Structures are given as structure tokens and as C-alpha cells.
Amino acid sequence: MIELDRLREVSVFRDLTDDRLQWLRANIVEFCVNAGDVLLRQGELSTGLLILLDGELATTRREDGQDYVERFHAPDVFGTPCMVASIPFPATLTAIADSRLARLPEVAFRELFVTCSPFGRMAARVMTDWLTALETAGLNRAKLAALGKLAAGLAHELNNPAAALTRALDHMRGELAVLEESALALGGNAVPREAVTQLGALVSRHGPQAFMGAAGSLERSDAESRLGDWLAARRVAKPWLSAPVLVAHGIASDDLDQLANDLEAAQFDAAVNWVARVLDLRAMVDEAMQGALRISDIVAAMKSYSFMDQGPQQEIDIHDGIDDTLTVMTHEMKRGIHVTRDYDRSLPRLQVYGSELNQVWTRLIENAVEAMDGHGSITIRTRRDGHCAVVEFIDDGPGIPPGVVTHLFEPFFTSGHPPNVPKEGLGLGLHIAYRIVVNRHGGTIQAQSGTRGTTFRVSLPLLRDVAPPNDVSTH
């Protein structure tokens, strides 16, 4: 005989009273199946609610010429939407291992649904979850939604280096014309070859110098003023244009004194202008290169984040996925979030659905950022626990109320967004994160919260086969 506590472990029967559970036990039929047995085929009408008490089942949904598989472990229940709406079962249900089940006939199901409000509420919640998953194609919608949100942030991140690159190129176009004039002036004033060699060495020795803080700005301004006066005394035309460039590259009057003594005034003027233009152009090229590299880094991170042009499964280092996620979420981090990485680099590579797993990291980081209202610290820690890789996201926010934590991974759960609870990710976001980790990768995801912060813990098996891509819940 089935134990009442075992029935209570099934989600839809969780809130039933002992009397109702005894009635349920009296109305269900227990049976066993062997691994490989088919319980229902896609398109068939179910004659009752199937309850998985022990073992493992899988649903296989055929769509667009491909099979989409999802695995389920006991205890679980199958066919709730089909019973409520009298519709065919949307997938083929097969036993993966020898399993023990029970069937609640349709007549008894409808009696329980109508007369028992706790069961009716749970069945309605399962129904709502299933319909939404069906309409949105499950993980595809979550991925598109996440990428859509990231696109705005990425556009902002790309705009800054792109603008810097444009400014640098525009400035370089004008400086090239001035450099040509300076080079012609060197020749026109017959600057000696030895002096030209000294100018080349001077340019090669000096790079941009950093002046940090208020004291640095004042120091730089004074240096520019002194050098400008020194150049003016030696009849250099427009010393206010050359002095800032020379000072920015660490060139002082001592570096130019020998040239000033060896050259005539016109020659020295041409030499100073040429040095300033070359150094300025070199700085602009460096700035343009930094902007281009930043754009390249962002694009590469986004490509890696989405696993573009790759198969659905990959063997990855989970740290790369976390880092890619942080890169594409830089706009979120800039709001005042400090991230600490505490990685165990000895963790082996995992065979996973990389882009989907990155959606989990995105959801958890978003929740942490929103819980802290954009200001605080997040620690991302990885470690090994037996045969599992563990990833923890720890924030120092105000925490989540205990009554909310227990429902975080339920579909469409909402508590009216109480204080200190993240507004996004409570419903569909964390529910899909749960499905990716648990149903797709055979792992676990948990949340612990207190007044000092919240920890989301994801455990992933180090060695296992994972289910094929795309899933729609059928239970």
C-alpha cells in the first residue's frame, strides 16, 4: 500500500489533508513498469492522472522533424493539463528505469478537482505553467528575452568605444594634414640629418604620461605653462598647441635644450611642431586601437556567451561562461556592483548546453543586482563537492523573506513584490533557471537567504549525459 507521506511528496497533493490523502489512496491503482516501456504516446488521450512514485520517466516530443526529450525523477505527476482540458498528451512518455507508478482515473480526478480546493489550485497552477511553456517554446523565449535585455546594455557599452574610435579617427584626419606641413617645413628649413635623427630618437623614447587626481592636473597645467613660455622665448609659433602634447608625453625643456642650441629658430620651430604632431597622432592611434579592441572584446564575449555557430552541447570551462556573462552585463555592474571571483580552477570541463547555462548565470546575477538596488557586492564562488561542480552567487543585499524563498522556483510565483524582494526573476525567470539546471542538466539549484544577504547555489554533475535541446513541460 502506498504511504500517505509518499503521496504528500507529490507537488499537486502537497496541501491535501490526511482524509483526502486516504481517499486518494483508495481511488488510485498502483502498477510497475520496466525500463523502455511506453506509457503514453504523443497524441493519445490519457485515461487518468499518472503518479510517478519511484523511478525515472522521460517525455519525447516530436516537432519539426526533431525529438525533444526531458527527464523526470520521482516523485512527480503527469497529465494534469490533459485531464483538466481533455486534450491529447503532447509527448511520448517512456520509462527510463524500472519504475513504480499509480493511476488516478479520470472520474476520480474530476471529483477531486471540483471538491478539493487545495488540489484545484495546484492543478490550475500546473495548467498555467504548462500552457505558458507551450506558447513560449520554453527556453527559447527565456533566451530571447535575456538577449533582448542585454542588447540595450551592449549597445551602450559599444557606444563608448565606438565614439572614442570615431573621435580619434576624425582628429587623426586633421592631424595628418598638419603633420605633412611639419614634415615639409623640416625639409624646407634644411634641418640637418643629425638633428632629424635626434628627433626620431626623442619620439621613440617618450610615450603618454599619466597625471592622476587633482594634484596631477595642477602639476600638468604648471608644466604646460612653463614649457609654453620656454618655447615662446625661442620663437616657436603657437607654443600653446605644442606644449600640452609634449608635456603629456613627458618631454620637458631639458629634452629640447640641445636641439634649441644647435638649430636656427625656424628650424627649431619646424622640429618642435613635427615632434608634437607625431606624438599626438601616435596617441590618437593608440586610443583608436583601444576602442577597436574594446569593441572586439565585447563582440567576442557576446559570441562566446551565446555559443554562436556551435552545436547545442559543448564541453566547457564553466568559469569562461560566467566571465562572458559578466562581460555582457557590464552595464549592470557599473551601477555600483563590486564582483569578487573566487574560482576553483581545478574543476574539470563539463558537457553542458552552454548558452542555456549562461541564461542561468544571467538570471541569478540580475536577481542579485535588483535585490541590492544596484549597489553592493556579489561573490561568485566555484568549488567541487564530491561528483558535482558547485557555483554560488552570494550577495550582501537585505535578504528575501523565508515565506518567499520556498516559492522562488515555482512558475509565475509572485508575492506582490514585497520590500527587499527582487521584482524580476521571481516568476518565469527562476522557474526556467530551475528547469535548465534540474531537468536539462540533472543538477540542483537552491536559495538561502537571511538579513545579511542571499546565496543561490547551483550544483552540476561532473560526468553525465544531458537531454537534447528545447523542452516543453508536459506535466
Side-chain angles (χ1 to χ4, degrees):
M1 181 175 288
I2 302 173
E3 305 83 8
L4 295 184
D5 288 342
R6 189 58 173 167
L7 288 175
R8 187 175 280 111
E9 290 175 2
V10 180
S11 59
V12 294
F13 306 139
R14 185 174 56 201
D15 297 329
L16 268 61
T17 63
D18 287 345
D19 290 342
R20 282 292 184 179
L21 287 174
Q22 291 174 0
W23 178 92
L24 178 65
R25 183 168 61 183
N27 282 273
I28 59 179
V29 179
E30 185 178 358
F31 64 100
C32 295
V33 296
N34 298 321
D37 288 351
V38 176
L39 289 88
L40 278 171
R41 296 191 182 278
Q42 186 171 343
E44 289 182 353
L45 288 172
S46 177
T47 58
L49 187 70
L50 291 176
I51 306 163
L52 177 61
L53 300 171
D54 294 293
E56 182 180 5
L57 303 181
T59 58
T60 303
R61 179 173 54 87
R62 186 73 175 176
E63 186 175 301
D64 297 329
Q66 295 186 2
D67 290 332
Y68 302 111
V69 180
E70 188 171 5
R71 296 177 178 179
F72 303 93
H73 298 271
D76 215 326
V77 64
F78 300 83
T80 305
C82 301
M83 290 291 96
V84 174
S86 296
I87 57 177
F89 202 76
T92 298
L93 186 63
T94 307
I96 298 299
D98 294 345
S99 304
R100 182 168 68 108
L101 297 96
R103 176 182 284 107
L104 179 65
E106 183 175 359
V107 174
F109 173 88
R110 296 198 178 281
E111 180 180 348
L112 186 64
F113 183 80
V114 172
T115 61
C116 182
S117 58
F119 176 77
R121 286 195 299 270
M122 292 300 296
R125 182 177 294 178
V126 172
M127 181 70 174
T128 303
D129 173 37
W130 179 80
L131 287 173
T132 300
L134 185 65
E135 292 171 357
T136 59
L139 296 176
N140 285 339
R141 177 184 177 182
K143 184 175 181 179
L144 289 174
L147 291 178
K149 182 176 181 180
L150 290 175
L154 285 172
H156 177 75
E157 288 300 308
L158 289 170
N159 181 67
N160 290 335
L165 180 59
T166 301
R167 288 195 305 270
L169 292 173
D170 185 62
H171 184 76
M172 288 166 59
R173 183 166 53 186
E175 284 294 289
L176 278 173
V178 179
L179 178 61
E180 291 175 0
E181 295 177 1
S182 300
L184 291 173
L186 284 178
N189 288 282
V191 175
R193 181 182 297 273
E194 295 79 6
V196 172
T197 301
Q198 293 181 45
L199 293 175
L202 183 65
V203 167
S204 300
R205 289 197 308 268
H206 291 82
Q209 303 293 309
F211 289 81
M212 304 300 293
S217 298
L218 291 174
E219 179 183 349
R220 178 171 177 167
S221 179
D222 289 343
E224 291 174 1
S225 179
R226 290 194 301 272
L227 183 58
D229 292 342
W230 187 86
L231 292 174
R234 282 149 184 81
R235 294 161 57 183
V236 171
K238 300 180 181 179
W240 60 87
L241 294 180
S242 299
V245 177
L246 298 175
V247 170
H249 289 78
I251 296 177
S253 57
D254 292 344
D255 300 298
L256 301 172
D257 193 59
Q258 184 63 44
L259 285 170
N261 293 331
D262 293 343
L263 300 176
E264 298 176 359
Q267 293 175 329
F268 183 65
D269 176 55
V272 168
N273 286 332
W274 182 85
V275 170
R277 300 290 71 77
V278 170
L279 292 175
D280 196 25
L281 271 173
R282 181 179 292 176
M284 289 300 101
V285 170
D286 290 342
E287 183 178 337
M289 181 61 71
Q290 290 174 6
L293 289 174
R294 177 59 180 160
I295 292 172
S296 178
D297 288 344
I298 293 173
V299 172
M302 191 61 208
K303 183 176 181 180
S304 178
Y305 172 86
S306 61
F307 288 87
M308 188 183 304
D309 301 326
Q310 297 188 40
Q313 291 187 38
Q314 302 85 21
E315 184 178 286
I316 68 166
D317 182 337
I318 58 174
H319 305 105
D320 293 340
I322 296 171
D323 288 340
D324 288 337
T325 302
L326 291 171
T327 297
V328 300
M329 294 183 69
T330 300
H331 61 291
E332 296 279 358
M333 304 296 107
K334 284 183 176 179
R335 293 164 54 186
I337 301 296
H338 175 72
V339 178
T340 299
R341 295 171 172 86
D342 183 8
Y343 292 165
D344 178 2
R345 291 289 185 177
S346 67
L347 285 176
R349 297 170 71 85
L350 301 179
Q351 185 75 19
V352 298
Y353 295 110
S355 63
E356 294 182 14
L357 206 55
N358 285 346
Q359 297 304 308
V360 175
W361 312 145
T362 301
R363 297 287 181 178
L364 298 183
I365 293 172
E366 283 179 344
N367 272 270
V369 172
E370 290 160 5
M372 297 183 294
D373 197 23
H375 298 278
S377 298
I378 300 175
T379 298
I380 304 175
R381 179 176 296 127
T382 64
R383 56 185 174 85
R384 181 167 185 161
D385 184 7
H387 296 291
C388 291
V390 178
V391 184
E392 294 178 329
F393 293 81
I394 308 165
D395 69 64
D396 60 0
I400 302 173
V404 174
V405 173
T406 57
H407 298 284
L408 281 177
F409 302 111
E410 295 178 5
F412 300 109
F413 169 73
T414 175
S415 57
H417 305 314
N420 302 333
V421 179
K423 292 184 178 181
E424 295 188 21
L426 278 180
L428 187 62
L430 289 182
H431 171 52
I432 287 186
Y434 177 91
R435 289 171 59 190
I436 293 173
V437 173
V438 177
N439 297 137
R440 303 280 281 139
H441 292 88
T444 62
I445 181 170
Q446 301 170 321
Q448 295 179 337
S449 189
T451 56
R452 295 185 177 180
T454 301
T455 298
F456 282 92
R457 183 176 296 108
V458 175
S459 296
L460 298 169
L462 292 176
L463 294 174
R464 80 181 300 273
D465 293 327
V466 291
N470 275 336
D471 73 299
V472 175
S473 178
T474 56
H475 73 300

